[in-house]
Amino acid sequence: MTRRSKGPLDPEALLRLGTSEHYEDPELYDFEYRDHRHDVAWYRGLARDRGPRQRVVELGAGTGRISLPLCHDGHTVVAVDRMPTMLDHLRRKAQGVAGDVAARLEPVLGDITALPLPDASADLVFAPFNVLMHLYSWEDLLRCFREAARVLVPGGRFAFDVLLPDLEWLTWDPEERHSVTHFTHPRTGAAMVYSTNHTYDPHTQVCHVRIFYDDAPKRPRAFKPPPEPAQVVHLAHRQIFPEELRHLVAAAGLTLDSLGGNFRGTRLAPGVDSQCGLCTKP
């Protein structure tokens, strides 16, 4: 962990870093999201309900938290991601899984707004875990939705999840540290502290999250943020509102079957974290 904060960054630099930095250390990424399972169950259920041996395209597949269980269930998965670090780690993980999981997986380095895949080649397209929030304009979002429609067979389904914008959270104090968590780094074994803060730009709808990694203080001393953190990792998420999602689905020529909350189909309301959409290609 060597990158250090060097003062304010211009908006374009923030977007570049916010798109990539969080995904440069796949081992740490796997560690941080190891308990995030409710979305895995939802996407596995969608594939299972459609039938055995589905052809799935996953957008923003990362290290395979969802792709590998789908392969284990007997489906074939084209795992698309723009980060070579994540796909390399995915390949290594797949080789370590028993059975023919690796044979059912095709990692593809690519852009989710211009998929390097043929028309009508997938039964299901999944865009999980906020990957759509890395598309920072409505034009790119629409390109992605249209690409999902293009690669689906007629009757195929596109499913996605993104955070439901929390207007109170977005306006929190950008200088205060939140989510302070002690942990042991999975690769180095170092005792660390994780914390975050963020700045929201209403003009672009982009929330710029700063993830701080610091050396943990000797117990029982309480953690106090140092003047200069050991590392700052940037994460940029464009907020996508429900009516925008409904419009994107329609503009891409898809039919919206449902848009509900928290992988349970509940009505979108305060306290709901995720918007989960399911649509069909006519």
Side-chain angles (χ1 to χ4, degrees):
M1 297 180 136
T2 58
R3 191 190 301 274
R4 295 176 181 272
S5 175
K6 296 182 179 178
L9 296 164
D10 66 74
E12 292 209 2
L14 272 175
L15 284 181
R16 286 195 302 272
L17 294 176
T19 304
S20 302
E21 274 195 333
H22 191 46
Y23 312 105
E24 291 174 354
D25 188 339
E27 291 175 271
L28 183 58
Y29 180 90
D30 272 355
F31 176 79
E32 289 181 341
Y33 299 111
R34 65 196 183 282
D35 295 329
H36 199 81
R37 299 192 181 112
H38 46 284
D39 57 344
V40 180
W42 190 66
Y43 286 106
R44 290 177 87 173
L46 292 176
R48 181 178 60 248
D49 291 346
R50 187 173 173 89
R53 296 182 293 280
Q54 296 295 300
R55 296 169 297 168
V56 182
V57 174
E58 184 185 351
L59 310 182
T63 62
R65 192 172 54 83
I66 290 171
S67 289
L68 293 178
L70 289 170
C71 291
H72 177 80
D73 292 344
H75 310 295
T76 59
V77 179
V78 177
V80 182
D81 203 282
R82 64 179 298 276
M83 293 294 293
T85 49
M86 301 293 270
L87 291 180
D88 289 345
H89 195 64
L90 169 57
R91 290 185 186 95
R92 290 192 294 270
K93 287 171 64 175
Q95 292 298 328
V97 178
D100 59 354
V101 165
R104 298 181 186 277
L105 179 73
E106 182 186 353
V108 172
L109 185 67
D111 180 348
I112 64 173
T113 68
L115 295 171
L117 303 171
D119 295 354
S121 57
D123 302 302
L124 296 161
V125 176
F126 293 158
F129 203 33
N130 309 320
V131 64
L132 298 175
M133 298 175 73
H134 282 304
L135 301 176
Y136 304 119
S137 68
W138 69 263
E139 293 96 337
D140 278 344
L141 277 162
L142 183 54
R143 288 187 191 101
C144 179
F145 276 66
R146 285 177 171 166
E147 281 292 89
R150 179 183 65 80
V151 302
L152 282 170
V153 298
R157 307 192 88 182
F158 177 40
F160 56 85
D161 68 274
V162 296
L163 295 175
L164 178 65
D166 182 334
L167 300 182
E168 180 185 1
W169 177 82
L170 289 170
T171 58
W172 281 5
D173 184 348
E175 299 301 322
E176 186 178 343
R177 299 279 192 95
H178 312 288
S179 303
V180 177
T181 306
H182 290 253
F183 73 100
T184 301
H185 194 282
R187 186 176 57 257
T188 68
M192 306 290 295
V193 174
Y194 165 105
S195 59
T196 70
N197 59 29
H198 56 270
T199 303
Y200 179 56
D201 180 359
H203 185 74
T204 61
Q205 295 179 207
V206 176
C207 184
H208 296 280
V209 180
R210 294 167 291 274
I211 305 171
F212 301 93
Y213 296 97
D214 292 290
D215 297 326
K218 298 289 185 183
R219 302 270 187 168
R221 288 171 51 203
F223 171 69
K224 181 179 179 181
E228 186 74 16
Q231 184 188 31
V232 181
V233 170
H234 296 85
L235 176 65
H237 271 168
R238 183 186 184 278
Q239 306 302 294
I240 310 176
F241 290 84
E243 277 294 273
E244 187 176 7
L245 288 169
R246 295 182 182 105
H247 176 73
L248 287 163
V249 169
L254 299 164
T255 299
L256 183 64
D257 301 314
S258 63
L259 182 63
N262 289 348
F263 305 95
R264 295 193 297 269
T266 57
R267 180 179 173 81
L268 300 176
V272 168
D273 295 321
S274 295
Q275 306 175 80
C276 307
L278 181 61
C279 41
T280 301
K281 179 177 179 176

